[in-house]
Short mmCIF file of all heavy atoms in Angstrom, two decimals:
data_model
loop_
_atom_site.label_atom_id
_atom_site.label_comp_id
_atom_site.label_asym_id
_atom_site.label_seq_id
_atom_site.Cartn_x
_atom_site.Cartn_y
_atom_site.Cartn_z
N ALA A 197 12.19 -8.17 1.40
CA ALA A 197 11.98 -9.57 1.05
C ALA A 197 11.93 -10.48 2.27
O ALA A 197 11.32 -11.55 2.25
CB ALA A 197 13.07 -10.05 0.10
N SER A 198 12.55 -10.04 3.37
CA SER A 198 12.59 -10.87 4.57
C SER A 198 11.22 -11.06 5.21
O SER A 198 11.04 -11.95 6.05
CB SER A 198 13.55 -10.27 5.61
OG SER A 198 13.06 -9.05 6.13
N PHE A 199 10.24 -10.24 4.81
CA PHE A 199 8.89 -10.40 5.33
C PHE A 199 8.14 -11.53 4.63
O PHE A 199 7.01 -11.86 5.00
CB PHE A 199 8.09 -9.10 5.20
CG PHE A 199 8.51 -8.03 6.18
CD1 PHE A 199 9.42 -7.06 5.81
CD2 PHE A 199 8.02 -8.03 7.47
CE1 PHE A 199 9.83 -6.09 6.72
CE2 PHE A 199 8.41 -7.07 8.38
CZ PHE A 199 9.32 -6.09 8.00
N ALA A 200 8.78 -12.11 3.61
CA ALA A 200 8.18 -13.25 2.92
C ALA A 200 9.06 -14.48 3.12
O ALA A 200 10.12 -14.42 3.74
CB ALA A 200 8.04 -12.94 1.42
N ASN A 201 8.60 -15.60 2.59
CA ASN A 201 9.36 -16.84 2.68
C ASN A 201 10.43 -16.83 1.58
O ASN A 201 10.25 -17.42 0.51
CB ASN A 201 8.42 -18.05 2.53
CG ASN A 201 7.31 -18.02 3.57
OD1 ASN A 201 6.24 -17.49 3.33
ND2 ASN A 201 7.59 -18.58 4.73
N THR A 202 11.54 -16.18 1.86
CA THR A 202 12.53 -15.91 0.81
C THR A 202 13.96 -16.20 1.25
O THR A 202 14.89 -15.56 0.77
CB THR A 202 12.44 -14.44 0.37
OG1 THR A 202 12.62 -13.60 1.54
CG2 THR A 202 11.12 -14.11 -0.28
N TYR A 203 14.16 -17.13 2.15
CA TYR A 203 15.51 -17.37 2.66
C TYR A 203 16.49 -17.70 1.52
O TYR A 203 17.55 -17.09 1.40
CB TYR A 203 15.50 -18.51 3.68
CG TYR A 203 16.88 -18.89 4.17
CD1 TYR A 203 17.60 -18.06 5.02
CD2 TYR A 203 17.48 -20.08 3.75
CE1 TYR A 203 18.87 -18.39 5.46
CE2 TYR A 203 18.76 -20.43 4.19
CZ TYR A 203 19.45 -19.57 5.04
OH TYR A 203 20.71 -19.91 5.46
N LYS A 204 16.14 -18.66 0.69
CA LYS A 204 17.03 -19.06 -0.39
C LYS A 204 17.20 -17.96 -1.46
O LYS A 204 18.33 -17.70 -1.89
CB LYS A 204 16.55 -20.36 -1.02
CG LYS A 204 16.73 -21.57 -0.12
CD LYS A 204 16.30 -22.85 -0.81
CE LYS A 204 16.53 -24.05 0.11
NZ LYS A 204 16.10 -25.33 -0.55
N PRO A 205 16.12 -17.31 -1.91
CA PRO A 205 16.28 -16.22 -2.87
C PRO A 205 17.16 -15.08 -2.33
O PRO A 205 17.97 -14.52 -3.06
CB PRO A 205 14.84 -15.74 -3.11
CG PRO A 205 14.01 -16.93 -2.85
CD PRO A 205 14.69 -17.65 -1.72
N ARG A 206 17.02 -14.76 -1.05
CA ARG A 206 17.85 -13.70 -0.48
C ARG A 206 19.31 -14.08 -0.47
O ARG A 206 20.20 -13.25 -0.72
CB ARG A 206 17.37 -13.37 0.94
CG ARG A 206 16.14 -12.45 0.98
CD ARG A 206 15.74 -12.11 2.40
NE ARG A 206 15.04 -13.20 3.05
CZ ARG A 206 15.30 -13.63 4.27
NH1 ARG A 206 16.28 -13.09 4.98
NH2 ARG A 206 14.59 -14.61 4.81
N ARG A 207 19.58 -15.33 -0.19
CA ARG A 207 20.96 -15.81 -0.22
C ARG A 207 21.55 -15.71 -1.62
O ARG A 207 22.70 -15.28 -1.80
CB ARG A 207 21.03 -17.27 0.25
CG ARG A 207 20.94 -17.45 1.75
CD ARG A 207 21.30 -18.87 2.13
NE ARG A 207 22.68 -19.20 1.80
CZ ARG A 207 23.21 -20.41 1.92
NH1 ARG A 207 22.47 -21.42 2.34
NH2 ARG A 207 24.46 -20.62 1.60
N ARG A 208 20.76 -16.07 -2.65
CA ARG A 208 21.24 -15.99 -4.03
C ARG A 208 21.50 -14.55 -4.44
O ARG A 208 22.50 -14.25 -5.11
CB ARG A 208 20.23 -16.64 -4.97
CG ARG A 208 20.16 -18.16 -4.84
CD ARG A 208 19.45 -18.78 -6.04
NE ARG A 208 18.05 -18.40 -6.08
CZ ARG A 208 17.08 -19.10 -5.51
NH1 ARG A 208 17.37 -20.20 -4.82
NH2 ARG A 208 15.83 -18.71 -5.62
N VAL A 209 20.61 -13.66 -4.03
CA VAL A 209 20.79 -12.24 -4.35
C VAL A 209 22.05 -11.69 -3.68
O VAL A 209 22.86 -10.99 -4.30
CB VAL A 209 19.55 -11.43 -3.91
CG1 VAL A 209 19.84 -9.93 -3.95
CG2 VAL A 209 18.36 -11.75 -4.81
N GLN A 210 22.25 -12.01 -2.42
CA GLN A 210 23.43 -11.56 -1.70
C GLN A 210 24.70 -12.12 -2.32
O GLN A 210 25.71 -11.40 -2.47
CB GLN A 210 23.34 -11.97 -0.24
CG GLN A 210 24.46 -11.43 0.64
CD GLN A 210 24.39 -9.93 0.83
OE1 GLN A 210 23.43 -9.42 1.41
NE2 GLN A 210 25.40 -9.22 0.35
N GLN A 211 24.68 -13.37 -2.72
CA GLN A 211 25.85 -13.98 -3.34
C GLN A 211 26.18 -13.32 -4.67
O GLN A 211 27.36 -13.09 -4.97
CB GLN A 211 25.61 -15.49 -3.53
CG GLN A 211 25.61 -16.27 -2.23
CD GLN A 211 25.12 -17.69 -2.42
OE1 GLN A 211 24.67 -18.09 -3.50
NE2 GLN A 211 25.19 -18.49 -1.34
N ARG A 212 25.15 -13.04 -5.47
CA ARG A 212 25.40 -12.37 -6.76
C ARG A 212 25.93 -10.96 -6.54
O ARG A 212 26.83 -10.52 -7.27
CB ARG A 212 24.09 -12.33 -7.57
CG ARG A 212 24.19 -11.60 -8.91
CD ARG A 212 25.29 -12.17 -9.77
NE ARG A 212 25.38 -11.48 -11.05
CZ ARG A 212 26.46 -11.52 -11.82
NH1 ARG A 212 27.55 -12.21 -11.44
NH2 ARG A 212 26.47 -10.87 -12.97
N TYR A 213 25.41 -10.27 -5.56
CA TYR A 213 25.89 -8.92 -5.25
C TYR A 213 27.35 -8.96 -4.83
O TYR A 213 28.18 -8.16 -5.31
CB TYR A 213 25.03 -8.33 -4.11
CG TYR A 213 25.45 -6.96 -3.66
CD1 TYR A 213 25.04 -5.82 -4.36
CD2 TYR A 213 26.22 -6.78 -2.52
CE1 TYR A 213 25.42 -4.55 -3.94
CE2 TYR A 213 26.59 -5.53 -2.09
CZ TYR A 213 26.19 -4.41 -2.80
OH TYR A 213 26.56 -3.15 -2.38
N ASN A 214 27.70 -9.88 -3.96
CA ASN A 214 29.10 -10.01 -3.51
C ASN A 214 30.01 -10.35 -4.69
O ASN A 214 31.14 -9.84 -4.78
CB ASN A 214 29.21 -11.11 -2.45
CG ASN A 214 28.48 -10.72 -1.17
OD1 ASN A 214 28.20 -9.56 -0.92
ND2 ASN A 214 28.18 -11.72 -0.34
#
Side-chain angles (χ1 to χ4, degrees):
S198 68
F199 286 96
N201 303 91
T202 56
Y203 175 72
K204 290 183 178 179
R206 280 182 283 134
R207 282 191 64 186
R208 290 196 293 269
V209 168
Q210 185 68 64
Q211 289 169 355
R212 178 55 180 161
Y213 179 82
N214 293 341

